[in-house]
Amino acid sequence: MAHLRTRIFDFYRDRLAAIPGLEAAGKVKRGRSGPIPQEMLPALTLSWADGEERATIRAFAGLNGEDGYDRDLPLSIIVHLRDDDPEEEFDELCVVIEAAMGAAVKAPGLTVETVLMSSRHYVNHQTGLSLCVGSLTYSVSYKTLASDPTTAAN
């Protein structure tokens, strides 16, 4: 069985892939192994490469007194842009992404809460030109049993 973290990524990937304009196969993925074809843009990539997952031990997390972890996962939604006005395109995509994520602050059986921490549109600092990418970073709080990271804790 998959780590609870993988199930959380899958849950949010599926929510984002339901956004009109992003529903085609490959437009929303967790991680990528190659470049995105131009005709697939805009697209989203879910990652946690921008930070590390932190965990703290919590006693009596399970029904039988098992120890558990309170976890905080940085979920980055990387937004790959295509438009002639990438900053405006980024803002338009942020509206639908934030709405989809905000409607699932708590993912039943998976997360305690998912909160937007930051958003950023990347530009070349020397030229001011858009790099045609941005990101929204969420903090995903969830709990697992210490002995079983596939199982959500109480």
Side-chain angles (χ1 to χ4, degrees), residues 70-137:
D70 290 334
R71 297 175 182 252
D72 188 38
L73 173 69
L75 172 89
S76 294
I77 302 170
I78 302 162
V79 182
H80 309 275
L81 305 165
R82 169 192 72 183
D83 210 339
D84 290 334
D85 188 348
E87 192 166 336
E88 184 175 323
E89 182 183 25
F90 178 68
D91 282 345
E92 289 170 357
L93 286 167
C94 282
V95 169
V96 295
I97 292 167
E98 289 179 38
M101 295 294 289
V105 169
K106 293 183 181 185
L110 297 174
T111 67
V112 174
E113 69 178 352
T114 302
V115 180
L116 178 64
M117 300 303 290
S118 66
S119 58
R120 180 175 180 191
H121 174 243
Y122 294 90
V123 297
N124 180 315
H125 293 287
Q126 295 175 342
T127 65
L129 295 175
S130 174
L131 298 176
C132 291
V133 69
S135 68
L136 293 91
T137 302

Side-chain angles (χ1 to χ4, degrees), residues 42-66:
L44 305 178
T45 303
L46 281 64
S47 174
W48 58 302
D50 288 340
E52 61 188 31
E53 180 182 67
R54 298 189 182 269
T56 56
I57 193 76
R58 187 167 50 88
F60 309 111
L63 296 174
N64 298 316
E66 305 94 332

